[in-house]
Amino acid sequence: MILTIILLLLALLIYFLMHPRYGKRPSGERLVLIQKSPQYKNGKFENESFTPELAEGYGYFDVLKDFFFKKVDRKIPTDIIPSIKTNLHEIPLNQDILVWFGHSSYFIQLEGKRFLIDPVFSGNASPIYGTTKAFKGTDIYTADDIPEIDFLLITHDHYDHLDYTTIMELKPKIKKIICPLGVGSHFEFWKFPVESIIEKDWHQKIELDQNITIYTTPSRHFSGRSINRCNTLWTSFVLETKDFKMYLGGDSGYDKHYAAIGDKFGPFDIALIDNGQYNPAWKYIHNLPEDVIKAMKDLKAKRVFPVHSSKFPLALHPWDEPLLKVTELNRLSENPIPLITPKIGELVELKNEKQEFQQWWKGVH
């Protein structure tokens, strides 16, 4: 009887892990290419600096115990998060804008091209649907609300950035995919045309047309959609036109790469920086609020959009703490930098440096 139960559980586990949402690990010619990358060492991708999974003084057991059992006041808002439903289909192509969907998902129109970055519209940030739900009011956009996309940008393959359900619903609208090494394996497994996938290492240049160039730049993070970690690369992007420059940060802990990117590509008109879902235990892979202040100055950013917050409960802090802390720390810092803090769905005018934003999270419980 016990053996039968064990076999049934194993069969369920195997069936569960075979779901296409997990994607496919790199193999064949893609794996050969990966193994030539300077970032690939000891059978996996590594960061520029030594990056332990947990910071000094923290153990796996205590971190897991806190994550599952520690009571965190206001980790999930009881109020509905305020948002705006902008009709993206009606925005003229000559209008340079950004629309944020919460967490690290956003839409950009620039120089007549449409970009979609790390979209998650399924209301879920976990391989097990229903376990990490979006906050009430944050999931007002669906794939139907998204117009045809010239370039889908994926920073890495974690579930809160690469969502299978969303990607499959968007599939007919996506012309090209730009992603870091190895991540193309998931898209190929999901039957995207190979010729539509642009898969790059760090420090590479992609000329999209005569007006727009993308550069792949380092971040300090990790990857993985199943048991194996770091078999695909993670990245940040620099999006550049003749007169405008954006840093699209992805997930990252603080490190020397911010200053290096700022020295090479800065100053940036706008920088989107990971600010949220942090914990001192994993400070090497997600910025703490004080790290965001250092990073924005390293990048030489003229305006900063703090992202990776306000949608999913992925860390042990109050849901609004990331925005409260980074706003206050920035205010108290020497030479504060203007922050871009729109509501979900609010139109951000990319080239309007005088656009002002409300601190919409105040009074939301």
Side-chain angles (χ1 to χ4, degrees):
M1 181 66 177
I2 294 173
L3 180 61
T4 303
I5 293 170
I6 292 170
L7 289 172
L8 281 170
L9 289 172
L10 283 172
L12 282 170
L13 180 62
I14 291 167
Y15 175 78
F16 182 71
L17 291 173
M18 286 179 67
H19 192 284
R21 74 171 67 106
Y22 292 96
K24 187 177 182 181
R25 71 177 68 178
S27 60
E29 292 180 8
R30 179 176 278 108
L31 182 57
V32 172
L33 181 64
I34 283 171
Q35 290 168 341
K36 293 177 182 177
S37 167
Q39 280 60 251
Y40 195 81
K41 302 166 188 175
N42 306 310
K44 62 179 182 178
F45 285 107
E46 295 185 357
N47 289 294
E48 290 180 320
S49 299
F50 173 64
T51 303
E53 292 183 1
L54 293 178
E56 299 79 5
Y58 292 90
Y60 287 102
F61 177 76
D62 290 331
V63 168
L64 286 171
K65 183 179 72 174
D66 285 348
F67 190 81
F68 287 107
F69 300 109
K70 186 176 180 179
K71 188 89 170 164
V72 178
D73 187 39
R74 301 179 64 253
K75 180 181 176 182
I76 297 173
T78 53
D79 290 347
I80 295 174
I81 298 291
S83 58
I84 297 169
K85 190 67 178 285
T86 298
N87 190 331
L88 305 180
H89 296 277
E90 293 183 353
I91 301 172
L93 257 181
N94 62 357
Q95 197 171 342
D96 296 330
I97 56 90
L98 181 151
V99 173
W100 178 56
F101 305 117
H103 201 64
S104 290
S105 303
Y106 49 99
F107 170 84
I108 291 173
Q109 272 189 193
L110 185 62
E111 292 286 335
K113 298 293 183 185
R114 293 189 179 111
F115 300 83
L116 186 61
I117 294 86
D118 291 356
V120 179
F121 301 138
S122 68
N124 187 82
S126 164
I128 305 171
Y129 290 162
T131 58
T132 310
K133 294 180 181 179
F135 301 150
K136 289 182 292 185
T138 64
D139 231 27
I140 63 168
Y141 285 87
T142 70
D144 290 339
D145 299 312
I146 307 301
E148 193 172 68
I149 296 298
D150 295 294
F151 299 100
L152 172 71
L153 273 57
I154 300 295
T155 61
H156 64 295
D157 69 1
H158 283 155
Y159 292 95
D160 57 325
H161 294 258
L162 179 56
D163 179 63
Y164 171 74
T165 299
T166 302
I167 294 299
M168 296 310 290
E169 289 175 351
L170 288 169
K171 190 175 181 180
K173 301 182 177 186
I174 297 169
K175 294 181 184 178
K176 292 281 185 182
I177 299 153
I178 300 175
C179 61
L181 282 179
V183 176
S185 181
H186 303 311
F187 285 97
E188 196 171 331
F189 179 58
W190 296 334
K191 306 300 182 188
F192 280 79
V194 176
E195 60 272 17
S196 71
I197 303 168
I198 302 170
E199 197 170 352
K200 295 292 183 180
D201 203 343
W202 290 344
H203 310 295
Q204 294 195 305
K205 178 180 180 180
I206 311 161
E207 292 185 348
L208 305 185
D209 61 21
Q210 68 271 27
N211 298 318
I212 312 177
T213 302
I214 283 182
Y215 299 88
T216 50
T217 45
S219 64
R220 192 183 193 188
H221 200 53
F222 70 107
S223 67
R225 292 179 73 81
S226 59
I227 297 168
N228 291 327
R229 286 186 167 193
C230 302
N231 59 1
T232 63
L233 188 59
W234 46 97
T235 196
S236 57
F237 296 104
V238 171
L239 179 58
E240 182 181 76
T241 71
K242 291 172 184 175
D243 63 353
F244 192 77
K245 204 177 291 185
M246 296 181 71
Y247 172 74
L248 313 180
D251 284 3
S252 184
Y254 184 77
D255 201 14
K256 60 186 179 182
H257 65 284
Y258 286 120
I261 294 167
D263 289 342
K264 184 173 181 180
F265 296 102
F268 287 98
D269 295 285
I270 294 175
L272 290 96
I273 303 177
D274 170 18
N275 171 58
Q277 319 318 313
Y278 52 75
N279 189 304
W282 55 79
K283 66 178 183 179
Y284 293 120
I285 54 172
H286 281 295
N287 293 315
L288 299 174
E290 54 268 30
D291 295 329
V292 177
I293 306 302
K294 292 188 290 184
M296 65 171 73
K297 296 183 187 300
D298 286 353
L299 289 164
K300 302 179 175 68
K302 297 177 186 176
R303 290 194 292 163
V304 170
F305 189 161
V307 294
H308 208 250
S309 67
S310 309
K311 188 166 184 173
F312 296 113
L314 297 172
L316 302 176
H317 56 62
W319 76 269
D320 56 354
E321 183 182 281
L323 289 169
L324 286 167
K325 282 196 169 184
V326 78
T327 302
E328 183 64 8
L329 288 170
N330 181 54
R331 185 183 68 82
L332 295 172
S333 70
E334 189 177 351
N335 301 318
I337 296 170
L339 296 181
I340 297 171
T341 57
K343 296 176 184 176
I344 289 172
E346 184 177 353
L347 211 62
V348 177
E349 299 167 18
L350 291 179
K351 297 181 181 179
N352 180 5
E353 294 182 4
K354 296 181 179 179
Q355 186 179 8
E356 295 183 356
F357 300 92
Q358 298 175 324
Q359 294 185 9
W360 58 264
W361 53 92
K362 288 188 173 181
V364 181
H365 301 289

